[in-house]
Amino acid sequence: MVTGTGVRWLAGVMIVACMALVGPSAPDGVPIAEPLPADAPEEVVPNRVMTWNICNPCDASGFNAGRAADIAAYAPQVIGLQEACVRDVEKIRDHLEYLYGLVYHVEYGSVLHNWGRCGGVPWSPGGFGQAVLSAAPMTNHVNVEYPEGGSEDRGYMAVTTLVDGRPVRVFNTHLAQRQQEDVRAKQTRVLAKEVAEHDRTIVLGDFNATPEASELTGMWGLAADADPGCGPAATGTCEPTTDWQSKFDYIFLRGFVSLEHGVRPSEYSDHSPVHADLRLT
């Protein structure tokens, strides 16, 4: 008898086989469902969130099926993606549904429309920036570009959705590149001003800065990271989230506490997916 995760994996394989018969409508050219860990959840976990910068490589063929498997291994309620091409997010979302039975709504926070980065045609290039996937519907979507982006346009998006059964304002951002501290400080001030308007808030994103960096002071004054051992003091206890062993990726919390958190190494990006299980305070 096949039970649990095995059922989902077998169902995914059968769906892929059927999709192969019907032809090119299958996303990503009929991907193969990757087996999930034995403890992978059967359905979306309502109090779980994830943040992940999925680029580098940005345009690798076939990576989206693997990215979907990395997400399905934890099945978060809300997922914030950064450096995300709209076409990649569409494929990841399709794979999550068709291969793993996980259905998500999506909102986009594109800040660039770039043919070279995201494909498409010159008169209709692909959107690039942030995206939020949520198992519950999202409302009050806003998309804001920072007044100063640094070497590339950057911004944040925000939506209202459910986490642990309660409405919450979710922000998703990507700050300027590593050598642009002054720009990040200006961006963080813009973001923190909006975050401060909400008592129950989750801020996901790639901040391109380690916890002790001065440009993150405004965020630490408002919220705590989901990693309870990680803070602005350079104690060395923060789990790295990048291939170069730095912590750049955060789940900042207001009105929530973290019950459990983790960093899952991935071969599909130079950043690792970061996930946390939350409880309202």
Side-chain angles (χ1 to χ4, degrees), residues 171 187-198 219 222:
F171 291 81
Q187 293 171 345
T188 304
R189 284 195 289 271
V190 172
L191 177 63
K193 181 179 179 180
E194 296 302 316
V195 172
E197 296 295 319
H198 304 274
M219 288 305 302
L222 290 172

Side-chain angles (χ1 to χ4, degrees), residues 183-266:
V183 176
R184 288 197 300 275
K186 295 175 184 177
Q187 293 171 345
T188 304
R189 284 195 289 271
V190 172
L191 177 63
K193 181 179 179 180
E194 296 302 316
V195 172
E197 296 295 319
H198 304 274
D199 294 329
R200 189 164 57 240
T201 310
I202 300 169
V203 185
L204 310 170
D206 173 5
F207 284 74
N208 267 320
T210 53
E212 72 278 4
S214 61
E215 61 265 33
L216 295 189
T217 300
M219 288 305 302
W220 290 121
L222 290 172
D225 187 54
D227 179 350
C230 186
T235 61
T237 60
C238 300
E239 190 170 2
T241 65
T242 66
D243 286 355
W244 52 94
Q245 297 302 301
S246 294
K247 178 178 173 66
F248 279 4
D249 305 274
Y250 297 82
I251 299 174
F252 283 112
L253 305 173
R254 280 169 63 84
F256 289 89
V257 294
S258 176
L259 302 176
E260 186 177 355
H261 77 282
V263 178
R264 174 186 173 91
S266 174

Side-chain angles (χ1 to χ4, degrees), residues 86-146:
V86 169
R87 288 176 176 83
D88 287 334
V89 176
E90 289 172 342
K91 292 174 181 176
I92 291 169
R93 186 180 174 215
D94 284 346
H95 299 333
L96 286 167
E97 181 175 358
Y98 300 141
L99 301 182
Y100 303 106
L102 302 173
V103 179
Y104 289 96
H105 303 266
V106 63
E107 293 287 358
Y108 294 99
S110 298
V111 293
L112 292 172
H113 287 82
N114 190 298
W115 179 37
R117 190 190 291 267
C118 291
V121 291
W123 55 90
S124 183
F128 176 81
Q130 288 75 245
V132 171
L133 302 178
S134 174
M138 291 175 276
T139 60
N140 302 318
H141 171 221
V142 298
N143 187 35
V144 177
E145 287 194 39
Y146 292 120

